């Protein structure tokens, strides 16, 4: 089971690194990729991107290095919240096609959070 959790952590981290990098450091490309980016401030998009990047680090490094491993499920919980709020934002804008990605990453991060909290 531990291997499955690591695979899911890795997939989630890769997804958040990709989207976080675009939002934090390639704002123009993010504007082309996601329609909602045009409707919020650049600073907020960058903030979300940095939160996703730090969350991606937090979902891997504490557990991998065995340094404060409790931070891994906490990071997963934070990322689940980011994705949940993103989904709610898409619902408020009636962007239902965008919610599928949110649901997948919500499920991944909740699975990691529950699995890692239970193994502490």
């Amino acid at each position: 089971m531990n291997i499955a959790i690591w695979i899911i952590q890795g997939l989630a981290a890769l997804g958040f690194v990709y989207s976080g990098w675009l939002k934090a450091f390639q704002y123009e490309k993010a504007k082309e990729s996601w329609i909602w980016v045009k409707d919020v401030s650049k600073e907020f998009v960058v903030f979300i991107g940095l939160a996703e990047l730090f969350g991606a680090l937090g979902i891997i490094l504490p557990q991998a290095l065995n340094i404060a491993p409790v931070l891994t499920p906490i990071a997963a919980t934070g990322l689940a919240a980011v994705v949940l709020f993103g989904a709610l934002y898409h619902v408020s804008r009636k962007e239902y096609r965008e919610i599928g990605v949110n649901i997948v990453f919500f499920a991944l991060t909740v699975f990691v959070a529950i699995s890692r909290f239970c193994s502490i």
Side-chain angles (χ1 to χ4, degrees), residues 1-16 59-60 104-113 115-116:
M1 182 68 163
N2 193 42
I3 293 171
I5 300 169
W6 274 112
I7 290 169
I8 292 170
Q9 281 176 248
L11 290 173
L14 285 174
F16 283 109
I59 206 170
I60 297 291
V104 168
F105 279 95
F106 181 77
L108 293 175
T109 53
V110 167
F111 178 79
V112 170
S115 299
R116 291 303 183 196

Side-chain angles (χ1 to χ4, degrees), residues 19-118:
S19 72
W21 187 264
L22 279 181
K23 292 170 190 156
F25 300 111
Q26 295 184 331
Y27 177 75
E28 292 304 318
K29 192 170 180 182
K31 254 178 26 177
E32 295 170 13
S33 299
W34 299 300
I35 209 164
W36 65 269
V37 173
K38 298 173 187 159
D39 298 330
V40 297
S41 71
K42 179 180 180 180
E43 292 80 12
F44 187 59
V45 174
V46 170
F47 171 76
I48 294 169
L50 291 173
E52 289 177 350
L53 287 170
F54 284 118
L57 291 174
I59 206 170
I60 297 291
L61 291 180
Q63 191 78 32
L65 300 175
N66 200 27
I67 299 173
V70 71
L71 294 177
T72 292
I74 291 171
T77 303
L79 288 171
V82 168
V83 174
L84 177 62
F85 286 125
L88 293 174
Y89 180 70
H90 289 307
V91 167
S92 74
R93 294 170 47 95
K94 296 180 175 52
E95 298 172 343
Y96 303 114
R97 289 184 326 138
E98 306 295 326
I99 298 172
V101 173
N102 294 93
I103 292 170
V104 168
F105 279 95
F106 181 77
L108 293 175
T109 53
V110 167
F111 178 79
V112 170
I114 292 170
S115 299
R116 291 303 183 196
F117 271 129
C118 290

